Amino acid sequence: MGWMLALVVVVLVHQWLPQARWLMVHMVTLGLITTSIMVWGQHFAEALLKTRLGEESRPRQLARLRLLTAGVVVTISGMLPGWPWLVVLGALAVSAALLWYAAALGAQIRAALAPRFAFTVRAYVAAACLLPVGALLGAVMAFSPGEPWQGRLMLAHQIVNVLGFVGLTVTGTLLTLWPTVLRTRIELAAATRAAGGLLGMFLAVLGAVAGALIGSTLLGCAALLAYLGSFAWVAVTLVRAGVRGVRQERRVPLAPFPILSITAGTGWFALTTAGLLVMWWRSADAQMATSLVAADVQQLTVPSVAGFLLQVLLGAMSHLLPVTLGGGPRATTAALAVMSRGAVLRVVAYNLVVALFVLAARGTAGSGALFSALTLGTAEVAGFGSLSRVLLSLLGFAVLVSFVVLLVLAVRTSSRLRGTAVPLPTPSRPEAAASVSPARSEPPSPSVGPSPSVGPPTGSRTGPAPAAAAPMDRRALTGALLGLGSVLGATALGGSLDRSQGSIPDAAGTAGGTAGAAAVTPTGESTTISVSMAEMRFTPDRLEVPAGNTLVIELSNDDPHDVHELVLATGATSGRLQPGESRVLDGGVVAHDMEGWCSIVGHRAMGMTLSIVATGAAAGTAADGGAVAAGSGADELARVGADMMAAPGPDVAVRDARLPAATGPQQRVTLEVVEVAAEIAPGVTMDAMTYGGTVVGPVLRSELGARLTVDLVNHGSMGHSLDLHAGRVSPDEAMRTIPPGEQLEYAITTDHAGIWLYHCSTMPMSVHLSAGMVGALVVPPPELAPVEREYVLVQSEHYLVPAGAPGSESATHEGALPVSPVKIAAERPDLTVFNGHATQYLHSPLEARVGERVRLWVLAAGPSRGISFHVVGGVFDTVFKEGAYLLRPGDGEGGGAQALDLAAAQGGFVELVFDEPGTYTAVNHSFVEMERGARALIRVTA
C-alpha cells in the first residue's frame, strides 16, 4: 500500500521531477510489483506446500522486505541525480533480497511432504533468480553506455524483468489462482502438464537475453517464439478453466473485476511479447544491434507496465485482499462485491486509454486506422494533442486510484459485517487466507489445494440458471457503454482544447484535418511509389496521388553510410532504415496535400523533405507543412537559459584541462562515438553526440613528424565520421561516414605544429559539431620551452530546442534537449562554453603560482563562432597563432598582447606570468559569448 500511495503522489507531481518516466515505471516494477511478489509469493508457497512457517520466521521475512525496500530507495536515489555507483549499490541490495527469498522458498520445497503444487513455487524460485540479472543490467545502463550497448542492455533488461521475473511468477501463480478466482476445481493433472510450459518460458528467457546481448536477431526471435509457444501451452489450461468456470451455474455470481482485469492484463502480456518479437525481427539486418535502439525498446513500456503489470496486480489483489480479510462468508462476499463495483466500466475505460496511447506511439497507418476505429471515428492520431493525452491520462489514473478507494470501503464493509476491526494483511500473517477450510465455505484461496470445490455458502448449484443473470448482463452493457463514453468524451474535449490552443490543426482549416479528410471519399484503390533516400534527399521528392487513393511507399535507404527515416504529416513513420535497408510504408488514404521529412536530427533542415500532392482534391485541402508538429507552441528560437553562477550537477566530472604528456613517434588511439545526455550548464542537459562520452572529445597530443592512427568506432544510432584537420589525406576514405556498428582506421603524419580541430564531418556538420563532436589535437612546435603550467581550452557553442517547442519531442534521452537546426541557421546560440561545460572552471579553477610561466592552448571549435581570448589582469608575452609566432619575449620590440583572436576552427597558444596572487578570469572578450559561459577562473597563489 505504501508504494501505491507513493506512486499516486509521484504521478501528481511528475512534471516537476527529474527522470519522471523512469521513476514512475520503476516505482511500479521494483516497488509495487516486486514487493507484492515477495509478500504473496511467500503466502502462496506456504499455502500450496502446506508448510506453514512458525512465528519465529516472520522477522526474517520482514527483514527481506526491508532490504528490498532499502535497495529500491537507494536505486531511485542514485538514478534521479545520475549517481551510477549508488544505483549499483541499490541493485546489489535488491538482488540480495531476491536471492534470499529464492533460497527460503527452496528450503520450503525441500521440507514439504509430497507437495502437489510445487511447480508453482519452483517457478517463483526460478523467477527470483532472474531478477538479480535484470538488476545488474539496469545498473550497467546507469553509466549511460552508447548504442548499440544501450539498446542491447535495455532489451535484455526488459526481457529478464518482464518476461522472466514477472512473467514466470504470474503464469505460475495463475495455474492455481485462476481456478480459485473462478470458484472452480483445480485439475491437478492438467495443471501439472501445463507446468511444463514454465520450464520452456525460463529457458526461452535465457536464450532471448543471450540474443539481445550478442546482437543476434535470429537467436533472440527464436527464443521469443519458444517463449510464446510455452506460454500458449499454459494458457490452454487457463482458458479451459475459464470456460468451465463460466459455464458453472451458481446462486451468487462471480466477482467480475478480478476476472476481467486479470484477463485483460494477460492479453496485454501476450500482445506485448508478440510485438517485441515482430519489432525485433523487423530489425534484422547487418546492423541489427543498432537499429533496435533503446528508444525502440521503450515503445513497449506502456503496454508492459500499464497494460500487463498493473492490471494483473490489481485484479489479483481485488480477489486476494477480501479473502485474506476473512470474517466469514457474508463479509468476504460483501468485500468482493465492493472491490468489483463498476468493474466493466473501469476495465473498458482503462484498456481503451492504454490502447490509444500505444497506437498513437506506433505512428503507422494501420495503428492510425485502429485508433480511429476504437474512438468510433471521432478522433485521429494527428489530432491526439497534448491536452488530449493529459485528459486521457487523468482518466486512466482515476481508474487506478479507484482501487485504493474501493479497498478502503471493502475493509470497512468486512469489518462492519463481522463486527470487529480488521488489519490489512502483512507478511506476518499469511495464514489468514491459508486457513480457509471447506467447512467454512468461504471463497477459496490457493491454500485449499487441488480441489477447491465450493465458494460461499450460497455457492454453485446444478439447478436452473439464476434469474438475476439478465440484470447483470444489462449492467455489464451499461458499464461498457459508460467506459467507452468516458474515453470518447475525454478525447473530444481534449481535441477541442488542443485546437483552441493551436497545438494541432483546426479540423476546419487547411491543415488536412478531419474536415478535409471527410470531403474525400476513399476510392478503394492504391498508388504505389518507390522512393529512394540518399545524400540528404528523397527521390522523387514530389509524390502525386489521386485524392482518395491509399498511398503505399516502397522506401529504400540507398545512402551508403547514413541512417534515414520518413515521417509523414499524418504521423505515419517508416522507422529508422539502415544503409541498404528497404521497407514498405502505408501512408493511408490521401485526402489532402501534406509533407514528409526525415526525422534524424538536422536532416530536415538540410532539405530532406518531400511533398505529397492529392490530385483532384477539393479546394481547402492544401498542403500543411507540419500537421503533427509537436509541442505546446513554445518559441523555437527562445533562449534556453541557465544559472551561470551555479555549480555543475553532482554527476558532472570536471574536465582536466592540463595538456597530456608527450606520446612518442608512434601513437594509436580509439575514439568511440557515443550518444549520451550531457550537462553543458547547470540544469541544462543536451542530447549529445560525442567522441568518448563527453561534449568536446579527449585532447590528443602528437609530436612533429609522428604517426598518429585513430580507430573510429561508431556506437551511435546514426552515421558519424571524423575529420582530423592536422592530416593531409583524401577525404573520400578516411573521412567517410560510417553507419552504426562499424569502424574505420584514420592515419596521419603530424608534420605541422599547432592546435588542430578534429570533428565529425557527417552532414549536417553544424548539428553534429553543436552536439559535441569536436576535439583538439595539439602538435607542439619544435624546441618549445617547458613551462610550469600548460592548459588546453576548447570553446564550443551550443544551440538547443526549448522544452515544449517543435522538435523537443525528438529527444532520445529523457530530460535532455535536442540540438536546434533552426537556431543554428539563425545564429542564435544558447551557450558558449570551455571544454564542454559553462561553469566547471568557476567552481574548480585552474591553478598557478606567482612567477610561474603558464601556457594556455586555445581552440575555437565552433561550429560558427570565433574567440577573442583574454585573461583579465594578465598580459601575454608570447602569442602563437595558426602555426606561427606573432609575439615572443626578447624580440627587441618590447611588445605584449591583450588578446588572441581566432576564427572558427583556428587555434594557438599564449603565455604569461602572474606577478601577484589572486583570482584571474580567462574569457572570450566578445562579452556576449562570455556571458553565455565562455570563461574560466585561474587561481594564483603565492
Side-chain angles (χ1 to χ4, degrees):
M1 180 62 74
W3 280 112
M4 189 172 295
L5 294 176
L7 178 62
V8 170
V9 173
V10 168
V11 170
L12 293 174
V13 301
H14 74 277
Q15 61 180 327
W16 297 287
L17 297 176
Q19 301 270 19
R21 178 188 174 96
W22 182 95
L23 179 60
M24 289 187 287
V25 167
H26 286 79
M27 286 186 73
V28 172
T29 53
L30 271 182
L32 193 56
I33 299 295
T34 305
T35 301
S36 299
I37 285 175
M38 282 189 65
V39 171
W40 292 101
Q42 180 61 49
H43 160 69
F44 289 147
E46 295 184 29
L48 294 170
L49 299 175
K50 300 187 183 300
T51 56
R52 189 172 308 157
L53 301 179
E55 288 299 321
E56 69 278 1
S57 69
R58 304 308 173 197
R60 292 195 297 272
Q61 296 177 33
L62 289 173
R64 283 201 298 270
L65 285 175
R66 292 190 185 105
L67 178 60
L68 173 66
T69 302
V72 175
V73 171
V74 170
T75 300
I76 292 173
S77 301
M79 194 67 189
L80 295 186
W83 297 341
W85 288 110
L86 196 58
V87 176
V88 171
L89 182 62
L92 290 174
V94 171
S95 301
L98 267 295
L99 292 175
W100 187 3
Y101 163 74
L105 295 185
Q108 288 179 248
I109 294 175
R110 292 190 296 272
L113 299 175
R116 292 177 294 177
F117 297 99
F119 53 79
T120 291
V121 185
R122 291 193 185 98
Y124 294 166
V125 173
C129 291
L130 287 174
L131 187 64
V133 179
L136 174 63
L137 295 171
V140 174
M141 283 193 296
F143 289 89
S144 299
E147 299 291 357
W149 283 107
Q150 188 75 8
R152 292 183 180 183
L153 291 168
M154 175 74 77
L155 179 58
H157 178 70
Q158 291 205 5
I159 289 172
V160 169
N161 291 343
V162 178
L163 303 188
F165 175 59
V166 181
L168 272 175
T169 301
V170 168
T171 307
T173 300
L174 289 179
L175 280 174
T176 50
L177 178 63
W178 184 238
T180 303
V181 172
L182 295 167
R183 298 210 307 268
T184 189
R185 298 180 64 88
I186 298 176
E187 294 184 350
L188 179 59
T192 303
R193 286 195 302 272
L198 299 174
L199 177 60
M201 292 170 67
F202 177 77
L203 295 177
V205 166
L206 298 181
V209 170
L213 292 178
I214 67 175
S216 171
T217 303
L218 184 61
L219 175 60
C221 290
L224 283 184
L225 197 60
Y227 185 94
L228 283 170
S230 300
F231 177 73
W233 177 258
V234 179
V236 169
T237 299
L238 301 178
V239 171
R240 288 175 177 169
V243 172
R244 189 169 61 249
V246 170
R247 289 178 176 174
Q248 186 173 321
E249 297 174 354
R250 53 189 93 242
R251 285 189 291 269
V252 176
L254 296 170
F257 183 76
I259 299 171
L260 295 175
S261 188
I262 291 173
T263 301
T266 306
W268 278 110
F269 176 62
L271 286 174
T272 301
T273 307
L276 176 59
L277 173 61
V278 172
M279 182 187 298
W280 203 347
W281 179 255
R282 285 181 175 176
S283 74
D285 57 36
Q287 290 85 31
M288 170 267 151
T290 53
S291 58
L292 196 63
V293 296
D296 298 323
V297 181
Q298 288 171 348
Q299 294 180 28
L300 302 175
T301 300
V302 171
S304 297
V305 176
F308 165 47
L309 297 179
L310 283 174
Q311 289 202 95
V312 169
L313 175 67
L314 298 186
M317 293 300 98
S318 295
H319 172 81
L320 291 169
L321 290 174
V323 171
T324 307
L325 290 171
R330 185 182 176 197
T332 301
T333 303
L336 284 168
V338 170
M339 294 302 297
S340 286
R341 288 180 183 174
V344 177
L345 186 156
R346 292 154 58 198
V347 172
V348 169
Y350 183 79
N351 281 277
L352 274 176
V353 169
V354 174
L356 293 181
F357 272 99
V358 171
L359 293 172
R362 289 291 299 146
T364 64
S367 62
L370 187 53
F371 183 100
S372 182
L374 289 178
T375 56
L376 303 184
T378 62
E380 295 181 351
V381 173
F384 194 47
S386 58
L387 294 177
S388 298
R389 295 170 188 267
V390 168
L391 289 179
L392 276 185
S393 299
L394 290 174
L395 178 59
F397 180 62
V399 172
L400 296 178
V401 171
S402 69
F403 171 85
V404 180
V405 176
L406 292 175
L407 177 59
V408 173
L409 295 177
V411 171
R412 292 177 58 186
T413 299
S414 177
S415 176
R416 185 179 68 253
L417 290 178
R418 76 186 212 162
T420 58
V422 182
L424 288 175
T426 68
S428 62
R429 297 192 63 229
E431 68 274 12
S435 61
V436 178
S437 67
R440 291 169 58 184
S441 298
E442 291 187 1
S445 75
S447 60
V448 176
S451 46
S453 56
V454 294
T458 56
S460 61
R461 62 185 181 91
T462 58
M472 179 59 194
D473 291 341
R474 287 196 294 271
R475 288 196 298 271
L477 178 59
T478 301
L481 292 176
L482 288 174
L484 174 61
S486 63
V487 173
L488 294 181
T491 55
L493 177 60
S496 177
L497 293 173
D498 280 320
R499 283 188 290 274
S500 68
Q501 296 292 322
S503 58
I504 64 171
D506 194 320
T510 62
T514 55
V520 176
T521 301
T523 63
E525 299 180 358
S526 62
T527 299
T528 301
I529 302 176
S530 297
V531 175
S532 170
M533 301 185 292
E535 304 295 334
M536 297 296 168
R537 291 291 181 269
F538 293 103
T539 306
D541 60 3
R542 177 184 170 90
L543 312 182
E544 294 189 356
V545 184
N549 277 21
T550 297
L551 173 61
V552 178
I553 301 176
E554 295 178 342
L555 198 63
S556 61
N557 184 1
D558 298 321
D559 198 307
H561 309 299
D562 220 340
V563 177
H564 295 295
E565 176 179 14
L566 173 59
V567 175
L568 301 183
T570 58
T573 176
S574 66
R576 293 188 173 188
L577 275 71
Q578 300 291 332
E581 188 177 1
S582 299
R583 193 166 298 166
V584 175
L585 172 61
D586 183 352
V589 175
V590 175
H592 51 79
D593 297 355
M594 71 179 95
E595 266 198 358
W597 57 87
C598 181
S599 66
I600 304 299
V601 61
H603 288 198
R604 186 179 186 181
M606 291 288 296
M608 197 168 181
T609 62
L610 60 77
S611 60
I612 299 172
V613 179
T615 58
T621 58
D624 164 44
V628 293
S632 62
D635 182 6
E636 54 189 330
L637 288 176
R639 183 173 175 210
V640 175
D643 184 349
M644 290 303 181
M645 300 304 296
D651 59 331
V652 174
V654 175
R655 290 285 295 271
D656 187 350
R658 292 175 298 179
L659 177 69
T663 55
Q666 296 284 339
Q667 182 184 183
R668 192 177 195 106
V669 298
T670 299
L671 290 180
E672 298 187 353
V673 176
V674 183
E675 295 167 7
V676 300
E679 180 181 294
I680 57 175
V684 179
T685 301
M686 178 175 68
D687 245 346
M689 310 173 193
T690 71
Y691 294 114
T694 59
V695 174
V696 179
V699 174
L700 306 180
R701 176 171 177 170
S702 183
E703 307 309 310
L704 269 178
R707 190 69 173 168
L708 171 64
T709 303
V710 177
D711 294 310
L712 180 69
V713 183
N714 187 0
H715 293 314
S717 61
M718 64 186 73
H720 292 291
S721 58
L722 178 65
D723 179 359
L724 292 169
H725 281 200
R728 293 182 295 177
V729 297
S730 169
D732 296 348
E733 178 64 22
M735 300 180 199
R736 74 181 190 277
T737 296
I738 57 173
E742 292 192 6
Q743 64 182 62
L744 63 77
E745 180 183 287
Y746 191 145
I748 64 171
T749 301
T750 51
D751 291 324
H752 302 281
I755 176 169
W756 300 89
L757 175 66
Y758 69 82
H759 64 87
C760 181
S761 59
T762 299
M763 300 296 285
M765 277 186 273
S766 59
V767 170
H768 288 245
L769 270 66
S770 179
M773 299 194 77
V774 296
L777 167 59
V778 176
V779 182
E783 301 178 0
L784 183 64
V787 294
E788 287 82 4
R789 310 276 179 169
E790 197 162 10
Y791 296 110
V792 180
L793 295 175
V794 179
Q795 176 186 284
S796 57
E797 77 261 17
H798 303 281
Y799 308 76
L800 304 173
V801 178
S808 60
E809 76 284 352
S810 65
T812 57
H813 298 88
E814 185 171 358
L817 301 177
V819 173
S820 171
V822 175
K823 284 186 178 178
I824 292 174
E827 298 190 46
R828 298 273 291 272
D830 296 294
L831 296 161
T832 306
V833 304
F834 287 151
N835 292 354
H837 196 283
T839 67
Q840 59 181 329
Y841 299 128
L842 303 186
H843 297 270
S844 299
L846 308 181
E847 301 286 344
R849 291 182 180 275
V850 170
E852 289 182 337
R853 176 163 289 274
V854 178
R855 179 178 296 134
L856 298 168
W857 292 86
V858 183
L859 175 67
S864 302
R865 299 297 176 103
I867 185 173
S868 175
F869 184 74
H870 171 73
V871 175
V872 178
V875 173
F876 306 142
D877 61 16
T878 303
V879 177
F880 179 91
K881 175 183 176 182
E882 285 295 287
Y885 284 97
L886 303 183
L887 178 67
R888 302 184 78 167
D891 60 5
E893 297 181 1
Q898 57 193 315
L900 170 62
D901 62 309
L902 301 169
Q906 288 189 323
F909 69 78
V910 294
E911 295 179 8
L912 72 167
V913 176
F914 296 101
D915 298 328
E916 299 177 0
T919 301
Y920 298 76
T921 307
V923 301
N924 184 336
H925 213 278
S926 173
F927 282 147
V928 67
E929 308 297 350
M930 180 201 72
E931 291 165 358
R932 293 190 183 112
R935 58 179 174 157
L937 299 184
I938 304 174
R939 182 184 293 126
V940 178
T941 56

